[in-house]
Amino acid sequence: MKKHLAPLLALLFAAAAVLSACVRADDGHLTLTLMGKKSDLEKSYMTDIFARYEAQTGNRLELVAIEDSDYENAVAERLDGGKAPDILLHFHNADLARFDVENNFLYLNGQPWADDLTESARAYCLDRNGNLLGLPFWESSVSGCYYNKTILDSLGLRPAATQAEFDMLCQVLADAGYTPICWPADGCTWMFQFGLDPVFADDPALLERLNAGDVSYAGIPAVADMVQWVAGAAEKGWFGTDYLNTGWGDISTALGSGEAVMTFIWDTWFYTDLAPGQAYDVADFALMPVFMGTADGGTYEGGNLNMMMVNKNSAHTDEALAFLQFCATPENYNAAFDGIATVSCFRGQTTNIESPMVSAAAASIRAHERVSTAASRIVGYSADDVADAFAALLRGRTDVAGCVAMMDAARLREAGLEGGTV
């Protein structure tokens, strides 16, 4: 009986497979897998573009949502196991070096949407050889020194244009009883990259030497200059008295109350995290460059952007590229970003809201903006490791040279070169 059933079952399975294939062929639709961090995939402009794509094409997106803290390891496991998604979302940071980009993802240099990218958005998505790695479909911001212009005006002060002017401004504010800079040392780690960006963005050859192991942080005087500036600012009281216990949730109160006058952050924070109903709101703030001892004219950091990257080993590379083209069509990205507070990533982007703080500082930004470099292009860079080194410095457990040495050791460890010498 079983011998007679086996051929029949095999025939039925084969018929079902043929029927399924015929349905897919007749329907003409497919499913693309797209992998990203859970919190990223939940952004309103992402859910909007996903819904528009499915509605207009009939295709389906299978979203692979990973908890943020597990993301990099999950991507590595999928690549190693041959289960990479058709499209991967990734910020162009140092973790990308783990994923053998050249062999796993398509370069997108010739895509029809490439020329529609703004200069800063395109620069963020280029590798060291000038290859375009992904489509930057994300909110963009400008990081700099945001200051309370109302307080400065009341004191007859003006924003700084040089490092010396900034240092003098901080001291005058401290003498007047204000905390010059809200420095959230408890758990916040982004500030240090602003000081390091000019060192390496302005000298690509130095960056190459660092990544090749031909030089260390300890051999680059500007790195020690930044560390010394932070240590000196803390010692002079420019961060206030409780900065080591100040975290993300405390920035709003410090700025909104007027206790602190400045902070190193990005424009979208003022629309998403500055609590309403305080003494000062977003209309009281303006933007100048960050000064941290490494660029006399200061610096701004361009937006850190989530890129859509295409798996070159996917069976659906053409369809994945078509999805990126869909996202990069003005009609679609303008609908997705309608009313979103962001600097434009596309030249044809018109429905987003650009912060008046950024618009007013446009000339200064053009003169002093650098693409995010430290966090994205230094192999082995970890913001947490750098913050740990500075915590040791600011808590008196090491000196400037020791802080730099800790940064070097952590960088080599993260790069898999622990024990290496430079």
Side-chain angles (χ1 to χ4, degrees):
M1 184 69 165
K2 291 180 180 178
K3 292 182 180 179
H4 293 295
L5 282 175
L8 179 59
L9 289 173
L11 182 61
L12 289 173
F13 286 140
V18 170
L19 179 60
S20 176
C22 289
V23 169
R24 286 196 298 271
D26 292 342
D27 184 67
H29 300 151
L30 76 152
T31 296
L32 289 173
T33 55
L34 187 150
M35 184 175 181
K37 294 179 180 178
K38 183 176 183 294
S39 62
D40 292 347
L41 297 177
E42 293 172 348
K43 297 287 188 182
S44 63
Y45 43 86
M46 300 302 286
T47 58
D48 185 279
I49 200 68
F50 296 157
R52 290 176 65 85
Y53 173 76
E54 291 186 332
Q56 292 186 31
T57 67
N59 296 332
R60 178 173 173 266
L61 292 171
E62 179 184 336
L63 303 180
V64 183
I66 306 296
E67 291 297 333
D68 293 15
S69 60
D70 299 328
Y71 190 65
E72 306 300 337
N73 288 334
V75 174
E77 289 174 4
R78 281 183 166 255
L79 287 172
D80 292 342
K83 297 181 180 179
D86 300 311
I87 299 164
L88 178 74
L89 290 183
H90 203 280
F91 286 92
H92 190 181
N93 56 34
D95 284 315
L96 195 59
R98 298 172 56 185
F99 305 141
D100 190 7
V101 172
E102 183 177 1
N103 289 314
N104 284 316
F105 298 96
L106 289 177
Y107 293 143
L108 304 174
N109 304 328
Q111 291 302 301
W113 44 262
D115 289 340
D116 189 35
L117 297 179
T118 62
E119 183 176 348
S120 61
R122 181 185 177 90
Y124 182 86
C125 299
L126 297 178
D127 69 8
R128 66 187 65 181
N129 297 315
N131 293 305
L132 186 60
L133 302 180
L135 172 70
F137 195 89
W138 199 245
E139 63 189 58
S140 185
S141 57
V142 174
S143 294
C145 178
Y146 287 82
Y147 66 94
N148 189 319
K149 62 183 180 181
T150 303
I151 290 178
L152 258 61
D153 288 346
S154 72
L155 298 173
L157 302 173
R158 59 184 176 83
T162 67
Q163 183 72 58
E165 289 181 4
F166 184 76
D167 291 350
M168 185 179 300
L169 175 62
C170 288
Q171 192 58 55
V172 170
L173 289 170
D175 292 344
Y178 292 95
T179 295
I181 304 168
C182 177
W183 186 268
D186 185 10
C188 296
T189 63
W190 64 80
M191 301 85 72
F192 310 105
Q193 66 198 54
F194 302 155
L196 290 172
D197 277 351
V199 178
F200 300 103
D202 296 356
D203 191 346
L206 180 62
L207 177 63
E208 291 289 340
R209 290 177 61 209
L210 181 76
N211 287 336
D214 296 332
V215 69
S216 67
Y217 285 147
I220 303 171
V223 175
D225 290 343
M226 184 197 80
V227 176
Q228 181 61 63
W229 184 87
V230 173
E235 184 179 350
K236 296 181 184 80
W238 296 352
F239 300 157
T241 59
D242 199 37
Y243 67 96
L244 290 172
N245 298 312
T246 298
W248 172 263
D250 303 309
I251 306 173
S252 176
T253 300
L255 292 181
S257 67
E259 173 192 342
V261 179
M262 301 180 285
T263 198
F264 299 164
I265 208 161
W266 45 92
D267 55 303
T268 52
W269 178 90
F270 286 86
Y271 298 92
T272 58
D273 290 271
L274 181 62
Q278 301 188 84
Y280 300 98
D281 61 23
V282 63
D284 294 295
F285 289 88
L287 173 61
M288 64 176 156
V290 166
F291 296 91
M292 291 181 67
T294 57
D296 187 60
T299 188
Y300 302 95
E301 184 184 69
N304 288 274
L305 305 173
N306 222 350
M307 304 183 300
M308 294 181 178
M309 303 177 67
V310 175
N311 174 9
K312 72 186 301 181
N313 303 309
S314 164
H316 303 298
T317 54
D318 289 343
E319 293 87 349
L321 289 171
F323 171 73
L324 266 60
Q325 178 62 56
F326 180 92
C327 295
T329 300
E331 177 185 358
N332 295 325
Y333 62 63
N334 275 317
F337 284 97
D338 188 14
I340 301 295
T342 173
V343 175
S344 298
C345 285
F346 301 95
R347 298 183 189 277
Q349 201 164 347
T350 58
T351 58
N352 55 302
I353 301 170
E354 184 168 279
S355 164
M357 298 179 290
V358 170
S359 298
S364 178
I365 293 169
R366 282 195 298 271
H368 301 294
E369 184 180 39
R370 277 95 172 171
V371 65
S372 179
T373 302
S376 62
R377 301 187 182 181
I378 294 176
V379 175
Y381 184 90
S382 163
D384 289 335
D385 289 340
V386 174
D388 287 343
F390 273 89
L393 172 72
L394 297 172
R395 293 182 182 277
R397 298 196 297 266
T398 191
D399 58 10
V400 169
C403 179
V404 174
M406 289 179 66
M407 290 166 58
D408 265 326
R411 176 179 60 85
L412 292 170
R413 183 179 65 249
E414 294 288 343
L417 300 173
E418 190 172 10
T421 58
V422 287

